Amino acid sequence: GAGVSQSPSNKVTEKGKDVELRCDPISGHTALYWYRQRLGQGLEFLIYFQGNSAPDKSGLPSDRFSAERTGESVSTLTIQRTQQEDSAVYLCASSLALPQPQHFGDGTRLSIL
Amino acid sequence: AQSVTQLDSQVPVFEEAPVELRCNYSSSVSVYLFWYVQYPNQGLQLLLKYLSGSTLVKGINGFEAEFNKSQTSFHLRKPSVHISDTAEYFCAVSFIQGAQKLVFGQGTRLTINP
């Protein structure tokens, strides 16, 4: 496919469990971003990868959140010991270098019971 | 620090009426400006962007926006809306230099009534 692909599309888990979310960026896009969208709110930046540079982790809300990216391909966002406030839609985006715009996936809707 | 304010959380309009969705930003440095649209259960789709040059930018689906540097605004307009324009609209900015992330407004829900 030509777009950003995220999986799973929906994830329901119990409080305290770990979850892993996956993002496949558009081929050739060097930059990859993770955002969180809580119900009825805008998007919060979480983390940014650019090529082989050190990631910008300034938006990660706690040390329970981490993300990895292998080269310029797939990225995974991991949330450990999930809490109810982690319930949100997690959106991934990829782009060529600025000023090229970011292209978003459809997101993973995470629900913590 | 950058911030983006979308002044209206909800905007109801009748079909074929004009609409304006307001966006103001705060930044001490130059920025790029974007409008994205989000349809239900989907990701964000780029409507239009301002990078430089002409302050009036045209996007997809008949939308346009005007960059006003003195008022630090980037309002989105459409002269005649359609039912299919019902969606959430997000204004966003990014630094021209430095951090590459997008800073988003809270969103405006546009509802088109027949």
Side-chain angles (χ1 to χ4, degrees):
Chain A
V4 177
S5 177
Q6 291 188 246
S7 61
S9 55
N10 285 282
K11 177 71 176 180
V12 180
T13 192
E14 294 179 347
K15 177 182 172 181
K17 300 287 188 182
D18 296 352
V19 295
E20 192 172 277
L21 313 180
R22 176 187 170 104
C23 173
D24 281 280
I26 293 172
S27 178
H29 280 190
T30 56
L32 186 147
Y33 312 77
W34 284 97
Y35 295 88
R36 178 172 68 178
Q37 185 179 26
R38 287 176 162 153
L39 186 64
Q41 299 187 24
L43 279 72
E44 304 169 71
F45 166 77
L46 296 178
I47 189 168
Y48 157 63
F49 297 90
Q50 172 63 58
N52 294 319
S53 301
D56 177 353
K57 304 180 181 180
S58 61
L60 294 178
S62 78
D63 58 9
R64 296 186 296 105
F65 287 71
S66 63
E68 293 183 349
R69 187 184 186 194
T70 306
E72 294 184 355
S73 62
V74 171
S75 175
T76 55
L77 176 69
T78 302
I79 308 173
Q80 295 178 310
R81 305 181 303 281
T82 52
Q83 303 295 314
Q84 287 189 333
E85 61 262 28
D86 299 334
S87 295
V89 176
Y90 290 82
L91 288 160
C92 175
S94 71
S95 73
L96 299 169
L98 274 183
Q100 298 306 315
Q102 297 177 23
H103 297 261
F104 284 80
D106 286 343
T108 294
R109 184 174 299 277
L110 178 63
S111 301
I112 310 300
L113 303 178
Chain B
Q2 296 170 317
S3 66
V4 178
T5 302
Q6 292 184 242
L7 298 167
D8 305 296
S9 59
Q10 297 187 57
V11 174
V13 295
F14 288 107
E15 193 172 15
E16 297 184 4
V19 69
E20 178 179 84
L21 306 183
R22 296 180 292 170
C23 173
N24 287 85
Y25 69 93
S26 173
S27 177
S28 57
V29 298
S30 296
V31 296
Y32 297 125
L33 296 151
F34 305 86
W35 274 98
Y36 283 86
V37 60
Q38 185 177 35
Y39 298 104
N41 299 314
Q42 293 185 24
L44 276 68
Q45 179 181 359
L46 180 70
L47 271 179
L48 48 78
K49 61 184 185 287
Y50 173 78
L51 306 180
S52 64
S54 173
T55 57
L56 181 64
V57 293
K58 295 188 182 297
I60 62 171
N61 302 340
F63 284 93
E64 63 181 32
E66 185 157 20
F67 169 54
N68 187 317
K69 188 173 182 179
S70 63
Q71 297 185 3
T72 59
S73 68
F74 191 54
H75 301 332
L76 181 71
R77 302 185 184 99
K78 186 171 183 178
S80 177
V81 295
H82 189 267
I83 290 285
S84 60
D85 293 323
T86 295
E88 189 92 18
Y89 291 80
F90 292 95
C91 181
V93 304
S94 68
F95 284 120
I96 290 177
Q97 294 180 347
Q100 306 267 303
K101 64 182 180 182
L102 286 171
V103 176
F104 285 86
Q106 294 298 300
T108 298
R109 181 168 299 279
L110 177 62
T111 303
I112 312 300
N113 299 307

